[in-house]
Structures are given as structure tokens and as C-alpha cells.
Amino acid sequence: MAKVIVQIGGKAVDEVPLDKKITVIGRESKCDIYLKNPSVSREHAKIIKHGSVFFVEDIKSTNGTFVNGAMVNWRSGLNNNDKIGVGKYTLVFKETEKGEKKEPKKLMPEFMDETIRVKKK
């Protein structure tokens, strides 16, 4: 099962399994990953599970969400050991265990993968 290791200042402070379809990250105590710091928005970002593929999506946070130092404008696919930056925290994404089936990462929504044929009149 995939998980994130929550770090602050390079020190691991929590480990959270990603066993839900949507895991919300924020400074509100109701969030699945609760990060108590003013640099984190109430509902800052979410990790979305689609089959065995994971994405991180910024929820219009004030300070932004980053993957490996690059700002996430909408949604970004996650790979093993990717570092998600949320305020002063780093969440290290850990991929599924060996032997489990993995799907290729898609950065666009499924409906954008379809070919549309336009018929001329």
C-alpha cells in the first residue's frame, strides 16, 4: 500500500497510509493529514488515488503545493520518493510494494485522452 512520510526539518514525524480515494492535507484537524502550521492552508492539497496511480492536487492554497521543488498548478502525478512540499512540511511519497501491478501515470483527466472525430458538412 502506498503511503506518505511526513517530515519537518528533515525529521520524520508521521507516516500515513494512502488507503482512501482522496486524502486531504491541511491545517484543519478534520483533514486526513493534519499539518499544524500557519503556512499551511485549512484545506491545502489532496492526494487522489485512481486505480494504483496517485496524483497530488493543490486546492487553491495560499502558499502553493510543490512536487520535487516545482509548483503544482493543478495536478501532478506522483512517483516513488517524490517530495511534496506543503508549507514547512515535506511529504515523501512511497510507492506500492514490489509485485503489485502499476498503471502508467496520466497527467490529464481521462476525458482528455479521447480522440474526437469532427465530420465536415
Side-chain angles (χ1 to χ4, degrees):
M1 174 184 305
K3 62 184 176 183
V4 291
I5 298 170
V6 181
Q7 300 177 338
I8 190 162
K11 181 181 176 186
V13 293
D14 199 6
E15 189 173 298
V16 182
L18 299 174
D19 54 0
K20 296 169 65 176
K21 186 172 180 173
I22 296 175
T23 302
V24 179
I25 304 163
R27 78 164 190 266
E28 283 205 346
S29 58
K30 70 177 184 173
C31 291
D32 302 305
I33 300 176
Y34 172 54
L35 304 176
K36 187 177 179 181
N37 189 278
S39 64
V40 178
S41 296
R42 287 184 184 102
E43 287 191 356
H44 194 104
K46 57 186 170 182
I47 297 174
I48 302 162
K49 179 181 180 184
H50 182 74
S52 63
V53 180
F54 289 84
F55 302 91
V56 65
E57 182 176 313
D58 185 75
I59 311 175
K60 298 181 182 176
S61 65
T62 302
N63 295 318
T65 302
F66 300 82
V67 174
N68 300 324
M71 183 178 257
V72 174
N73 292 318
W74 178 62
R75 185 180 281 183
S76 178
L78 292 172
N79 294 301
N80 193 40
N81 293 316
D82 276 351
K83 292 176 175 52
I84 305 164
V86 177
K88 297 182 181 219
Y89 293 86
T90 300
L91 285 69
V92 181
F93 176 75
K94 293 294 185 178
E95 193 77 59
T96 56
E97 297 296 320
K98 271 188 169 181
E100 289 187 25
K101 184 181 174 190
K102 297 179 190 174
E103 297 175 23
K105 305 256 186 278
K106 291 184 181 180
L107 297 179
M108 303 300 278
E110 289 177 10
F111 67 87
M112 295 182 86
D113 287 345
E114 298 173 9
T115 301
I116 299 172
R117 181 170 264 174
V118 179
K119 192 174 186 181
K120 289 185 176 182
K121 290 186 175 187

